[in-house]
Amino acid sequence: MDEFVRNKLTEWGLSMLIERFEDEGIDTESLYCLGDQEIDALIIKVGPKAKFRKRLKLLKAEQNPTHQETVNSSAHEHEEAADSAQSTSDRRDKEKNQKGKRKLDLQGKSTRFQSPASKRQCDNKLASYSEEIILSDVKKTMNYVHMRLQNEDNTRFNAFLKNKICDLETDKRELVGVFGKTGAGKSSLINAVIGVRNLLPSGSVSACTSVMIKVEANKNNSKCEADIEFITKEEWKDELWSVYHILRDADQEKEDDDDYRDTVEKLSALYGEEWQNIPPENLMDNKYFREIPEFLISKRKILTCESAEELSAKFVKYTRSDSKVGQSGKRWYWPLVKCVTVRVPDNDLLQHVTLVDLPGNGDRNKSRDKMWKEIVGSCSTVWIVTDINRAASEKEPWEILQDAISLMGNGGECQRIHFICTKSDLIEDSDDQSAAGDYALILKRNMEAKETVMTEFRKQTKIKKHFSDEYFKVFTVSSKEFLKNKRLRRDDTEIPKLQEFLQDLNDCHSVTLNYVSGAYGILSLIQGARCREVACKKIDACTDLEENMKKELDEVTKAIEESYKTFEKCLTEGVEKAKSSCEGNLKSVLYSKSGRGFHKILKCVVENNGTYKPKKTQRKEINLNEKLSSCLTDSIDEEFRKTFPNQQKCGPFKGAIIAFSLDTEKLMQKYKEVELQLTFLHTEEEKIKMKLNKKIREHKKTIYSSLTGTIEAKMHECYKKAAEFSGQGSLEKMRETIKTHVHESKNTMFDQAKAHMLMQLNKLKENILVELEKTLKKSIELSLKTDDYSIPDVAAELDLVKTHYNEVSSSPDEEMSLLGSDPPGPSAAPSL
């Protein structure tokens, strides 16, 4: 192994592989020759393997075939870097000439249809293409600088610079979760919005989507792909154990037993009608999984097709359940599937966006349910899809929202909810038979539907605690009319508004600005380090920076501690309410129903650690842990939303992180001699704040869920004990066991939940302060206290990147700051 390979593995965070690569004699040349088969043999674990593949692919795309060739051609590349600004201008002129000849629509293939938002997308493409050129130029420049640093002495400063260059790569991905009952038109809506016909199967009354489906862009090739992730063999064994007990305990009225029908549906799908003749111990035999050997070895299955329609036909059996499955004789594998990721090529609306078709209330399978919760908690937008004729009156859409609202709001990062009323072109018989009459009637009915939905939303107190009217929008759409235009104009279908919204989410300006800004800062630092005559100015500037940092850290500490005290006060009140009302809240669940049917439900509750997810979404989910912790979460909800707003205009802790500043711009006026180093520190400060905001967004989910999580942990032994009862009288025994445990634990359990949440908050404070101080202290030290001049001259590269930085920072989208402000909503979206 040579130094180049060793450095690369270290920079990529894969130093654990150095010994393995050394044993296999991997040098620079063989590194570039590695294919998938060799990588599979070299790296066993999936995580490091995926990371290595991605990094190697970027390296191959951006660098010359071998390190030696790069070194030999460095002089030539230096000239190219110096001339790059002019070549960029030339390419732009050439591209503008070509642009006039292009058609910017989505008609490209037989599976595509034209987007009505083509003018909007055309404008965005013209704007983003120049940014693509800029980003490409700056990446090539930084790659060239990185390679030159490889040839210098491997000092601490040199290693710092190389790591900073490697850290420039960022990826932006927005999740849009799509909820809706069977027949509401989710699949048709997604197909229409992304401009791909027949991608997600729709139209069958007897079939429904049973697993999560992610839809995103295929950036690797021009094929349509489905990436199928299975649950593990052990998880299916556990489900079969539950299945056996459900079948054994099924009563005479099987047709009214959801658990029994769900069980039969799963077994019939996977094993066919002959499942009844298969001994339970034989259900794991390999012969039943011959078509999906990937399941047996815990590997993903990849389906690849030329067209979306062909792919849809192939992956449908991995995603859909069908009430007629027993009559078809086909094998359906959805019971074994955790998630399916569908990737389509050449789709601008999905470049930085993933649409996720979600089951309404999670899943009984633990790993599927865990993934469901993680995805719902990571959605920046949620679409609730329902038939326009039942938009406000139907309970299910609102129940989906109520059940998931804490995961989306304070327990997640959702910024907006779109309530989408589908089939807006369908109207009842009207007296006026003319096309104009129908058109007027449809528009009138659509406006009434919007007003009715908004009225209903304002009644939803649980939802309103997390989302105000400002972040709730109503759309009335027609996927059918969007295609045919028989009764409505395309704009009236409101599909273009949703496309425009996705286009805004896809805006890559912040990605480009972040990269170019970071590159500008690094090159400023490199060039500034070559100035040797300003030692005293460096010392003075360093003193001012350290004083500013101490003062600003004190301000952040103060803001977080104020939030801590507020939460402590709120939780103290919540604990007292929880103690006084917990037994009453418990009884409202334990005695809500009676009879054999409820005995089975409560049995499921205690076997699943306090939760019950019904197959029918019309039936309410039971979560005893949430019920018991409700007084605690209610007590902090309002303050939590203010402290950790999903809408990031002011940022967490009342804007304390965003307000943090070393005041570098003011210091640049005072210390002109070290302006380049201060430029680096300015970009470094913005970058660390952006990273911290992202970390806080993730950590706040843990803080919020810790209240219910602590209650669940304290109830675990009680549930375990209650689950042991069976036979006559077991319903009452389970009830009494739970009631007794809550009565005996209430004086400590809620206080422990409060203490655990405050501990998590304190831990977050420490992480924020340590990361801010550690990162900036190191950057200040290496910028202004290190005497290390074994670095290249990057004056030409700095001039080029500075020019690009000025271009992107003064673009029309300048308001998309480095901290990642909220993408604007669709300007034409209804705001009622």
Side-chain angles (χ1 to χ4, degrees):
M1 173 188 288
D2 56 28
E3 201 62 23
F4 177 77
V5 177
R6 186 185 299 277
N7 288 341
K8 278 297 168 195
L9 291 176
T10 303
E11 290 162 11
W12 296 346
L14 298 169
S15 55
M16 78 291 290
L17 299 176
I18 290 175
E19 187 176 343
R20 173 70 173 154
F21 275 53
E22 202 162 23
D23 290 341
E24 295 296 326
I26 306 297
D27 59 11
T28 302
E29 185 175 356
S30 55
L31 177 71
Y32 283 93
C33 297
L34 290 178
D36 287 343
Q37 191 173 349
E38 289 82 9
I39 293 170
D40 287 339
L42 272 169
I43 309 171
I44 305 300
K45 291 187 178 180
V46 174
K49 186 188 298 182
K51 189 174 181 180
F52 177 83
R53 271 207 181 98
K54 179 183 176 183
R55 292 289 192 176
L56 182 60
K57 183 179 177 183
L58 290 170
L59 190 65
K60 286 180 177 179
E62 296 179 5
Q63 296 187 5
N64 289 320
T66 67
H67 175 58
Q68 189 60 46
E69 287 177 7
T70 304
V71 174
N72 292 341
S73 61
S74 62
H76 177 63
E77 288 184 0
H78 189 93
E79 291 174 8
E80 285 185 341
D83 295 337
S84 186
Q86 182 60 42
S87 64
T88 299
S89 176
D90 294 342
R91 282 201 302 276
R92 281 203 196 109
D93 292 340
K94 183 178 179 182
E95 185 59 30
K96 283 178 181 178
N97 293 332
Q98 292 173 343
K99 284 287 176 180
K101 301 174 184 178
R102 292 182 181 175
K103 292 183 178 180
L104 297 176
D105 60 23
L106 297 176
Q107 192 79 35
K109 298 182 180 180
S110 60
T111 55
R112 302 285 177 115
F113 49 85
Q114 187 177 358
S115 164
S118 58
K119 184 181 185 301
R120 157 84 176 178
Q121 291 188 19
C122 176
D123 292 342
N124 278 330
K125 279 195 172 187
L126 287 170
S128 67
Y129 189 80
S130 60
E131 290 201 353
E132 284 178 17
I133 294 174
I134 289 172
L135 188 57
S136 175
D137 273 0
V138 176
K139 282 186 176 183
K140 286 177 181 176
T141 300
M142 297 311 292
N143 170 62
Y144 165 66
V145 171
H146 187 273
M147 293 304 297
R148 289 178 68 190
L149 289 170
Q150 295 281 4
N151 300 324
E152 303 293 343
D153 295 339
N154 194 25
T155 62
R156 182 170 175 239
F157 185 55
N158 187 291
F160 175 78
L161 293 172
K162 288 186 289 187
N163 284 332
K164 287 297 174 186
I165 293 173
C166 290
D167 285 343
L168 285 172
E169 285 289 351
T170 57
D171 185 31
K172 172 189 175 185
R173 182 143 298 276
E174 299 278 350
L175 281 182
V176 177
V178 187
F179 288 102
K181 65 178 288 186
T182 305
K186 278 194 302 178
S187 298
S188 297
L189 173 70
I190 292 173
N191 291 342
V193 169
I194 66 173
V196 183
R197 288 183 187 271
N198 304 318
L199 178 66
L200 301 187
S202 60
S204 173
V205 175
S206 63
C208 66
T209 303
S210 297
V211 302
M212 282 174 286
I213 303 178
K214 298 180 183 178
V215 183
E216 59 189 37
N218 186 353
K219 298 181 180 180
N220 298 320
N221 55 59
S222 59
K223 306 282 188 181
C224 293
E225 292 181 350
D227 184 339
I228 300 161
E229 182 181 358
F230 296 99
I231 63 174
T232 65
K233 284 173 63 178
E234 289 69 28
E235 287 172 330
W236 183 238
K237 282 180 184 177
D238 290 343
E239 281 204 45
L240 288 177
W241 182 87
S242 300
V243 160
Y244 171 75
H245 285 82
I246 289 169
L247 295 175
R248 185 193 66 182
D249 298 338
D251 55 29
Q252 297 301 313
E253 298 178 358
K254 295 177 181 177
E255 64 275 7
D256 295 325
D257 188 334
D258 287 343
D259 289 331
Y260 177 81
R261 287 190 298 184
D262 181 37
T263 298
V264 170
E265 185 181 14
K266 283 183 178 179
L267 293 175
S268 298
L270 191 56
Y271 299 102
E273 286 302 302
E274 64 271 19
W275 68 265
Q276 300 176 70
N277 304 319
I278 304 173
E281 62 272 16
N282 293 342
L283 289 172
M284 288 301 299
D285 284 358
N286 288 355
K287 65 181 180 181
Y288 299 115
F289 310 100
R290 283 173 186 158
E291 285 189 49
I292 47 169
E294 296 87 353
F295 166 71
L296 296 173
I297 58 175
S298 297
K299 190 177 179 182
R300 296 184 181 218
K301 187 178 186 71
I302 309 292
L303 303 175
T304 304
C305 297
E306 293 294 333
S307 71
E309 190 169 6
E310 182 187 355
L311 182 69
S312 178
K314 277 190 176 183
F315 78 72
V316 66
K317 62 183 176 183
Y318 298 96
T319 62
R320 305 268 277 185
S321 61
D322 193 330
S323 60
K324 298 178 181 179
V325 67
Q327 307 165 23
S328 66
K330 294 180 180 179
R331 303 287 300 280
W332 299 74
Y333 297 110
W334 57 266
L336 303 177
V337 175
K338 189 174 180 181
C339 178
V340 174
T341 302
V342 180
R343 300 187 181 97
V344 293
D346 307 322
N347 198 294
D348 295 324
L349 293 179
L350 298 175
Q351 289 304 305
H352 300 288
V353 171
T354 296
L355 295 174
V356 191
D357 188 344
L358 289 157
N361 61 347
D363 199 279
R364 295 180 183 182
N365 175 276
K366 288 182 181 178
S367 69
R368 276 200 293 250
D369 192 56
K370 183 182 177 184
M371 178 180 272
W372 182 86
K373 287 178 179 176
E374 287 173 354
I375 289 176
V376 172
S378 299
C379 288
S380 64
T381 304
V382 165
W383 290 356
I384 303 294
V385 183
T386 188
D387 189 318
I388 193 168
N389 291 317
R390 300 186 292 273
S393 61
E394 194 167 47
K395 292 182 179 179
E396 188 170 336
W398 299 106
E399 287 177 351
I400 288 173
L401 264 179
Q402 288 170 358
D403 289 342
I405 199 66
S406 63
L407 281 174
M408 293 160 44
N410 282 343
E413 52 189 271
C414 184
Q415 298 173 22
R416 59 195 80 75
I417 298 172
H418 291 164
F419 200 98
I420 301 174
C421 306
T422 59
K423 306 174 186 178
S424 67
D425 60 302
L426 301 180
I427 54 172
E428 297 177 1
D429 294 338
S430 63
D431 296 331
D432 189 344
Q433 299 296 318
S434 67
D438 282 352
Y439 178 74
L441 191 61
I442 289 170
L443 294 187
K444 181 174 181 290
R445 192 274 312 273
N446 290 351
M447 186 54 66
E448 289 172 351
K450 291 180 182 182
E451 292 170 354
T452 304
V453 169
M454 285 302 301
T455 300
E456 184 62 30
F457 169 71
R458 293 183 180 112
K459 297 176 186 176
Q460 303 291 324
T461 54
K462 185 176 179 181
I463 300 170
K464 289 277 287 180
K465 281 198 305 181
H466 296 265
F467 293 91
S468 63
D469 292 16
E470 182 183 357
Y471 305 111
F472 184 89
K473 305 291 182 186
V474 187
F475 296 83
T476 52
V477 308
S478 172
S479 304
K480 181 180 175 182
E481 279 297 299
F482 173 69
L483 293 173
K484 297 185 177 179
N485 297 126
K486 288 185 177 180
R487 307 166 83 181
L488 295 174
R489 293 192 296 262
R490 289 196 169 185
D491 283 349
D492 294 324
T493 70
E494 298 204 345
I495 296 289
K497 292 178 181 177
L498 294 176
Q499 290 180 323
E500 184 179 340
F501 169 76
L502 291 185
Q503 191 68 55
D504 286 333
L505 282 185
N506 266 290
D507 174 57
C508 63
H509 175 72
S510 59
V511 174
T512 304
L513 181 56
N514 288 338
Y515 190 97
V516 176
S517 172
Y520 176 41
I522 293 167
L523 293 176
S524 296
L525 175 59
I526 295 173
Q527 199 61 18
R530 294 175 59 81
C531 300
R532 310 184 185 196
E533 295 81 21
V534 291
C536 70
K537 293 296 182 182
K538 284 185 177 182
I539 294 171
D540 292 343
C542 199
T543 301
D544 284 356
L545 284 165
E546 288 171 345
E547 287 178 1
N548 288 350
M549 183 171 68
K550 185 179 182 305
K551 182 187 71 174
E552 292 295 293
L553 286 171
D554 288 343
E555 290 298 315
V556 173
T557 303
K558 181 181 175 183
I560 299 175
E561 287 178 349
E562 284 177 359
S563 293
Y564 183 99
K565 289 176 184 177
T566 304
F567 281 125
E568 188 175 29
K569 181 182 176 183
C570 293
L571 284 170
T572 300
E573 296 172 0
V575 165
E576 293 309 309
K577 286 182 182 178
K579 289 177 181 178
S580 62
S581 61
C582 64
E583 292 173 85
N585 286 339
L586 197 60
K587 285 181 181 179
S588 70
V589 176
L590 295 180
Y591 293 91
S592 60
K593 295 177 184 177
S594 59
R596 183 169 176 79
F598 186 66
H599 160 265
K600 295 175 72 174
I601 290 174
L602 191 56
K603 185 75 169 177
C604 286
V605 169
V606 295
E607 286 179 344
N608 289 284
N609 220 23
T611 63
Y612 168 72
K613 292 185 178 294
K615 173 66 176 175
K616 284 186 176 179
T617 49
Q618 293 93 327
R619 295 194 178 184
K620 286 287 288 180
E621 176 186 351
I622 295 174
N623 191 322
L624 284 181
N625 307 311
E626 284 187 359
K627 191 73 175 177
L628 290 169
S629 64
S630 59
C631 289
L632 299 177
T633 52
D634 287 349
S635 71
I636 64 164
D637 270 337
E638 185 177 351
E639 184 62 30
F640 203 90
R641 190 172 73 170
K642 292 176 184 175
T643 305
F644 302 104
N646 289 346
Q647 289 73 27
Q648 299 165 32
K649 291 170 184 173
C650 69
F653 298 109
K654 315 293 171 64
I657 306 298
I658 289 178
F660 180 95
S661 174
L662 295 177
D663 214 2
T664 49
E665 291 181 333
K666 185 177 179 181
L667 291 176
M668 285 179 198
Q669 304 302 317
K670 185 176 179 182
Y671 302 108
K672 287 282 187 182
E673 298 85 351
V674 291
E675 183 178 353
L676 290 171
Q677 288 91 330
L678 291 171
T679 298
F680 164 73
L681 290 172
H682 176 72
T683 59
E684 189 73 353
E685 174 193 301
E686 294 299 321
K687 188 172 183 179
I688 185 60
K689 290 196 290 185
M690 184 175 65
K691 282 186 175 180
L692 276 177
N693 276 337
K694 188 176 180 181
K695 282 191 175 182
I696 293 169
R697 194 162 61 240
E698 288 300 317
H699 203 109
K700 72 116 174 181
K701 300 175 191 177
T702 304
I703 294 173
Y704 189 77
S705 65
S706 67
L707 294 173
T708 302
T710 302
I711 300 301
E712 182 177 334
K714 297 301 173 184
M715 293 290 292
H716 178 70
E717 285 302 316
C718 158
Y719 295 139
K720 191 176 177 181
K721 184 178 178 181
E724 294 172 357
F725 296 116
S726 61
Q728 190 172 3
S730 59
L731 175 60
E732 282 307 314
K733 290 176 183 175
M734 286 189 288
R735 283 170 169 164
E736 286 303 316
T737 299
I738 297 170
K739 283 166 53 185
T740 301
H741 180 83
V742 170
H743 179 74
E744 293 174 350
S745 305
K746 65 180 183 180
N747 288 327
T748 58
M749 181 166 62
F750 300 112
D751 283 302
Q752 288 171 336
K754 167 192 166 184
H756 186 60
M757 181 189 150
L758 292 174
M759 184 217 32
Q760 290 282 341
L761 190 61
N762 207 41
K763 184 179 176 182
L764 175 62
K765 180 190 83 170
E766 291 171 3
N767 288 343
I768 290 169
L769 296 174
V770 167
E771 187 147 357
L772 266 175
E773 184 174 16
K774 182 181 175 183
T775 304
L776 292 176
K777 197 172 182 180
K778 183 178 180 181
S779 296
I780 291 169
E781 178 187 346
L782 286 166
S783 301
L784 298 167
K785 290 184 178 180
T786 303
D787 293 323
D788 186 348
Y789 308 115
S790 59
I791 47 177
D793 183 349
V794 293
E797 291 81 6
L798 177 59
D799 287 344
L800 167 67
V801 173
K802 184 178 180 180
T803 300
H804 285 324
Y805 173 72
N806 290 334
E807 288 177 307
V808 294
S809 61
S810 61
S811 71
D813 294 318
E814 187 175 1
E815 69 273 10
M816 298 291 287
S817 72
L818 289 174
L819 292 176
S821 62
D822 303 326
S827 57
S831 179
L832 301 176

